[in-house]
Amino acid sequence: MPLPRSLSVTSLSGLDDWTEEFDLGDAVLFEIAWEVANKVGGIYTVIQTKARLTSEEWGENYFLVGPYMENSVRTQVELIEPTNPALKRTIDNMNSSGCKLYFGRWLIEGSPYVVLIDVGFTAWSLDRWKSELWENCGIGVPWFDREANDAVLFGFLTAWLLGEEPPHILAHFHEWLAGLGLVLCRQRQLPVATIFTTHATLLGRYLCAGSVDFYNNLHKFNVDKEAGDRQIYHRYCLERAAAHCAHVFTTVSHITAIEAEHLLKRKPDVVTPNGLNVKKFSASHEFQNLHAHSKARIQEFIRGHFYGHLDFNLDKSVFLFIAGRYEFSNKGADVFLEALARLNYLLRVNHSEVTVIAFFIMPARTNNFNIETLKGQAVRKQLWDTAQTVKEKFGKKLYESLLVGQLPDVSKMLDKEDFTMMKRAIFSAQRQCLPPICTHNMLDDSSDPILNCLRRIGLFNSSSDRVKVIFHPEFLSSTSPLLPMDYEEFVRGCHLGVFPSYYEPWGYTPAECTVMGIPSVSTNLSGFGCFMEEHIADPSAYGVYILDRRYRSVDESCSQLTSFLLQFCQQSRRQRIIQRNRTERLSDLLDWRYLGRYYISARHMALAKAFPESYYYEPQDPSSKKGFRYPRPASVPPSPALSRHSSPHHSDDNDDDDERYNEDLEAEKDRLNIRPRRCSHTHTPHAYLLAHDSVIGSPFQSTWVLQCVAPAHPGTHTR
């Protein structure tokens, strides 16, 4: 009897060096999800960004399985003939039996193979398969639930596909929509190692939307009754069956693991945090310049949106945003709006010069752009064209005057026609109404949660308000006539992302902010927030503010968020630059190059459980030490009071230049983590401790170098 292949993984919970020994042999990996080449939500991002790493590990033996959606396939998939002979035979057999399967390459990083199943083509088998599901599994699916019907078709076709393949198949199923295929594989006793990953439990999402104290009452819910009351009992049964049938059950965060243990009645074997392909967002030291460039484009939009009421200084404005699925309570939009109302009051009573502009990027039902919003951008463009015309005429006359050696007569540089043109432009920029809150015409204006909340708290973009609100009920696009920016560019131009979610199993939006160097607010009920609290000693020092929504009331959480926002608004430009540098440092923590190891561990565990005669898995010692934690930065945000001139008398003209120089110097010092320290072996205070974060090997190895710099002359300082 051949010895089983050895699988060992060490330091999975930490950031230490780790090793693995694994001979893939003839194993084949199928990853099945409804969001393969079909963008619906966050699972699409998980699979898309992880594909390159998985392709490098499995090579030609990695296949993604998803539904055939013609619109997506046209732009994302290159259809080709199957390269694997066994898989080609399977697809040909299924197509000749009345199914419709497509094979191709998904045009993303890694170019993984995809098998796409046209579920509508086999709808004629739906009743027969639903009867079989009831007879063998005791799960009944009602006729009116189209999404569940698609899950039945997709599940049976997936099980058919896997049942035709050779031994040592590893099938990884994501979410309940794909979970039925896993249940059928186990019910039919197919030689398939199975993994089921829940990214968010069905019942959890429904319960949280019902305004209950969810996390503090998890042990009290009668799950069967709660699912039945919400008419999702059949979906819940599919999800729970998949969780219990899988060889390995995983979820994306520790907070969701607790939820799954109570609602699905199985404790996850592995927690697999979601990562990002950080290289895609990497801008090295250019990310500060990218922020300035994108911020300038947002400012142009604001100039048009607030024309006639542009009575605030854009250079002293702070841009906040919230984005994601339109779930008013689950995503924390209710808490954000309440905090904005309180922040508006505090800024007004303190006579602050800071203006906060809060963007809500949440898709809702609309019928078109708001005419007043489009008019604002047209007026802005007209004013720009007028200014350019006058500028050209002024420049030409100035040029001709200098050519003849005369100083220009400023009173003759502009004629009456120019003044008339400028006056007409000024009059056209007058506005009788307030700037619109919403950029689109809403279909359900009277019942929209965000608009109703804004009416209740009285934020109408009036001149006296220090907090302005712009609700953009559509995903951003670079082809939009209103705000022509894609999401990534928009995020880079903002100052702070605010995501006070009550139900957020992971949270890709704050993670994307982090890798782009933009500070964000998350919560201790989101997977991202819990992950950051676990790996960072002082998250707020790195620009990741963790809001307590688990152990505080809603009112207390609103007060805490208001405090975070007020503290952020009171930061100087220099402090914000330093904080962005620190935030961007955390990128490697969220890279799939690090987080992918958790998926590798789950796959090894599943193979060892399904094929113990061929694979051996050495579980991690639960008593092993915890992983690396980012320490609190050695440098704290410098106080403006520390950057004073040596002389009490200085010119105002030089003040801005000196402040800008000091800002850039402090930001660069903080980027390198160079702060003054007194050497232990010398009496001079002019020693610097240099912390250099190395990205060679493990991304979190640190090399510490101590440099002692003696002053050039007594009484002088060396920079």
Side-chain angles (χ1 to χ4, degrees):
M1 178 179 176
L3 292 174
R5 299 182 180 92
S6 172
L7 297 82
S8 65
V9 182
T10 61
S11 302
L12 278 171
S13 65
L15 301 178
D16 308 296
D17 296 334
W18 67 292
T19 61
E20 58 169 319
E21 299 174 1
F22 176 40
D23 177 17
L24 286 174
D26 58 354
V28 178
L29 172 61
F30 286 89
E31 195 159 4
I32 302 104
W34 190 257
E35 296 194 34
V36 170
N38 174 38
K39 187 169 186 178
V40 178
I43 302 173
Y44 175 91
T45 306
V46 174
I47 297 171
Q48 181 198 40
T49 55
K50 184 171 62 68
R52 187 181 72 168
L53 189 69
T54 313
S55 296
E56 290 175 0
E57 181 192 358
W58 288 81
E60 297 289 306
N61 289 342
Y62 175 49
F63 302 95
L64 289 160
V65 181
Y68 177 82
M69 300 292 180
E70 188 172 355
N71 291 336
S72 299
V73 170
R74 285 177 180 175
T75 57
Q76 298 186 42
V77 178
E78 177 191 8
L79 297 177
I80 59 175
E81 284 295 315
T83 55
N84 185 298
L87 184 58
K88 186 179 189 309
R89 285 194 303 271
T90 300
I91 292 176
D92 290 342
N93 290 339
M94 292 182 68
N95 285 340
S96 63
S97 301
C99 305
K100 195 67 175 175
L101 276 70
Y102 300 84
F103 186 86
R105 280 193 180 274
W106 192 2
L107 302 179
I108 58 175
E109 280 198 88
S111 300
Y113 291 124
V114 290
V115 179
L116 302 177
I117 303 174
D118 189 344
V119 295
F121 199 82
T122 52
W124 52 272
S125 300
L126 180 61
D127 289 338
R128 175 166 59 88
W129 285 342
K130 286 168 73 172
S131 298
E132 184 180 337
L133 177 62
W134 171 254
E135 292 169 2
N136 295 332
C137 304
I139 300 175
V141 177
W143 62 269
F144 55 81
D145 191 341
R146 182 175 178 180
E147 198 171 15
N149 288 335
D150 286 342
V152 171
L153 292 169
F154 188 57
F156 272 87
L157 289 167
T158 300
W160 188 351
L161 174 71
L162 297 176
E164 298 280 336
E165 281 295 296
H168 296 161
I169 295 177
L170 173 59
H172 189 159
F173 298 82
H174 293 266
E175 282 297 301
W176 73 274
L177 277 165
L180 180 56
L182 186 154
V183 177
L184 294 172
C185 286
R186 299 306 304 278
Q187 187 263 327
R188 296 174 182 177
Q189 298 183 350
L190 299 179
V192 177
T194 57
I195 303 173
F196 181 66
T197 296
T198 178
H199 297 258
T201 66
L202 269 171
L203 190 54
R205 194 179 293 278
Y206 276 84
L207 287 170
C208 286
S211 300
V212 299
D213 188 5
F214 177 67
Y215 290 98
N216 294 321
N217 292 285
L218 275 172
H219 61 287
K220 298 179 181 178
F221 290 117
N222 183 338
V223 291
D224 294 307
K225 179 181 182 300
E226 297 290 350
D229 290 345
R230 289 159 179 78
Q231 298 184 9
I232 58 165
Y233 188 67
H234 55 288
R235 297 187 180 193
Y236 169 73
C237 288
L238 291 173
E239 182 181 39
R240 183 168 170 176
H244 281 267
C245 289
H247 289 102
V248 173
F249 175 43
T250 78
T251 189
V252 296
S253 63
H254 289 289
I255 192 72
T256 313
I258 297 171
E259 172 189 342
E261 186 176 359
H262 286 88
L263 301 187
L264 299 180
K265 307 303 179 182
R266 179 177 176 181
K267 185 177 181 180
D269 300 292
V270 182
V271 172
T272 53
N274 290 335
L276 284 164
N277 184 3
V278 172
K279 186 178 179 181
K280 170 190 171 185
F281 300 96
S282 177
S284 189
H285 305 305
E286 282 295 305
F287 76 94
Q288 295 281 10
N289 294 333
L290 292 174
H291 166 74
H293 174 74
S294 298
K295 183 177 72 172
R297 295 193 62 183
I298 296 175
Q299 287 176 335
E300 282 301 297
F301 166 77
I302 291 173
R303 289 187 177 100
H305 191 82
F306 288 93
Y307 84 92
H309 294 272
L310 199 64
D311 49 4
F312 53 90
N313 188 347
L314 277 176
D315 290 331
K316 294 184 179 179
S317 296
V318 174
F319 303 154
L320 315 181
F321 81 98
I322 182 174
R325 189 185 292 112
Y326 196 174
E327 296 178 7
F328 184 66
S329 298
N330 282 357
K331 296 298 181 183
D334 53 347
V335 173
F336 186 28
L337 284 166
E338 180 63 33
L340 287 176
R342 299 181 185 187
L343 177 66
N344 183 49
Y345 171 79
L346 292 174
L347 293 176
R348 288 172 62 178
V349 298
N350 289 312
H351 305 289
S352 174
E353 295 182 350
V354 174
T355 300
V356 173
I357 300 175
F359 290 87
F360 287 75
I361 313 295
M362 291 180 157
R365 296 177 62 207
T366 65
N367 57 21
N368 215 327
F369 292 108
N370 186 310
I371 293 178
E372 188 64 26
T373 306
L374 289 173
K375 180 183 175 183
Q377 300 307 313
V379 168
R380 177 194 62 78
K381 188 176 184 305
Q382 180 189 11
L383 289 172
W384 174 260
D385 292 341
T386 300
Q388 291 300 108
T389 302
V390 174
K391 173 185 171 183
E392 289 179 5
K393 293 177 67 175
F394 187 96
K396 185 177 180 181
K397 291 181 180 179
L398 176 62
Y399 172 65
E400 291 174 348
S401 176
L402 294 176
L403 279 177
V404 298
Q406 295 180 357
L407 290 174
D409 186 351
V410 179
S411 62
K412 297 180 180 179
M413 298 298 286
L414 298 176
D415 52 29
K416 290 184 178 180
E417 182 182 349
D418 297 326
F419 282 102
T420 301
M421 186 189 309
M422 289 188 290
K423 287 179 181 178
R424 289 179 59 184
I426 292 173
F427 290 159
S428 69
Q430 294 178 352
R431 176 189 259 173
Q432 303 303 319
C433 61
L434 292 174
I437 291 173
C438 187
T439 58
H440 292 60
N441 294 321
M442 301 288 290
L443 289 180
D444 302 316
D445 183 286
S446 60
S447 60
D448 183 80
I450 289 179
L451 295 181
N452 280 339
C453 187
L454 287 169
R455 295 178 185 118
R456 179 180 61 82
I457 61 180
L459 285 180
F460 299 120
N461 291 341
S462 63
S463 297
S464 59
D465 287 331
R466 296 270 49 83
V467 173
K468 319 286 186 181
V469 177
I470 299 176
F471 179 23
H472 190 280
E474 190 176 72
F475 284 129
L476 297 170
S477 170
S478 58
T479 59
S480 170
L482 192 64
L483 184 56
M485 303 176 72
D486 59 27
Y487 178 72
E488 179 184 338
E489 188 179 7
F490 174 80
V491 171
R492 287 192 184 277
C494 291
H495 296 95
L496 181 71
V498 184
F499 313 103
S501 305
Y502 185 76
Y503 187 78
E504 190 72 77
W506 176 245
Y508 258 123
T509 41
E512 288 168 339
C513 286
T514 301
V515 299
M516 287 187 272
I518 302 300
S520 63
V521 176
S522 188
T523 74
N524 60 354
L525 291 181
S526 74
F528 172 83
C530 294
F531 182 81
M532 286 303 189
E533 279 190 318
E534 180 184 349
H535 288 86
I536 305 174
D538 185 4
S540 61
Y542 286 90
V544 179
Y545 299 90
I546 309 297
L547 184 67
D548 184 2
R549 293 210 61 185
R550 185 169 187 181
Y551 304 110
R552 297 193 184 197
S553 66
V554 175
D555 182 68
E556 290 172 333
S557 297
C558 289
S559 298
Q560 186 184 17
L561 179 56
T562 306
S563 174
F564 285 160
L565 299 181
L566 182 62
Q567 175 188 345
F568 188 83
C569 291
Q570 291 173 339
Q571 287 184 345
S572 66
R573 175 177 172 268
R574 171 175 58 186
Q575 290 169 337
R576 290 201 300 267
I577 290 173
I578 292 172
Q579 191 175 57
R580 282 197 296 273
N581 280 327
R582 290 177 181 160
T583 304
E584 198 268 342
R585 277 191 219 160
L586 303 177
S587 297
D588 288 333
L589 188 62
L590 300 170
D591 196 351
W592 276 121
R593 292 288 177 187
Y594 164 58
L595 297 178
R597 66 186 67 187
Y598 297 99
Y599 274 88
I600 294 173
S601 176
R603 291 195 285 264
H604 291 180
M605 187 185 298
L607 282 170
K609 284 186 177 182
F611 311 113
E613 74 286 350
S614 301
Y615 299 96
Y616 170 74
Y617 174 76
E618 182 181 339
Q620 183 194 4
D621 180 8
S623 64
S624 62
K625 64 178 182 179
K626 284 284 184 181
F628 178 88
R629 279 174 63 87
Y630 272 83
R632 191 177 188 278
S635 57
V636 296
S639 167
L642 300 179
S643 303
R644 292 175 178 167
H645 291 263
S646 56
S647 168
H649 304 289
H650 58 273
S651 68
D652 293 336
D653 294 335
N654 292 332
D655 187 49
D656 289 340
D657 291 336
D658 289 343
E659 183 179 358
R660 191 175 299 111
Y661 172 79
N662 286 333
E663 288 172 0
D664 294 339
L665 177 64
E666 292 293 337
E668 182 64 15
K669 280 183 180 180
D670 194 86
R671 184 183 67 79
L672 296 174
N673 204 11
I674 302 176
R675 310 305 305 169
R677 293 287 185 272
R678 184 181 296 274
C679 283
S680 59
H681 59 279
T682 181
H683 297 290
T684 176
H686 310 290
Y688 287 89
L689 186 64
L690 171 62
H692 173 64
D693 296 328
S694 173
V695 295
I696 300 174
S698 172
F700 307 98
Q701 295 172 344
S702 295
T703 304
W704 296 88
V705 181
L706 186 65
Q707 291 183 336
C708 294
V709 183
H713 301 285
T716 63
H717 295 276
T718 303
R719 185 181 297 278

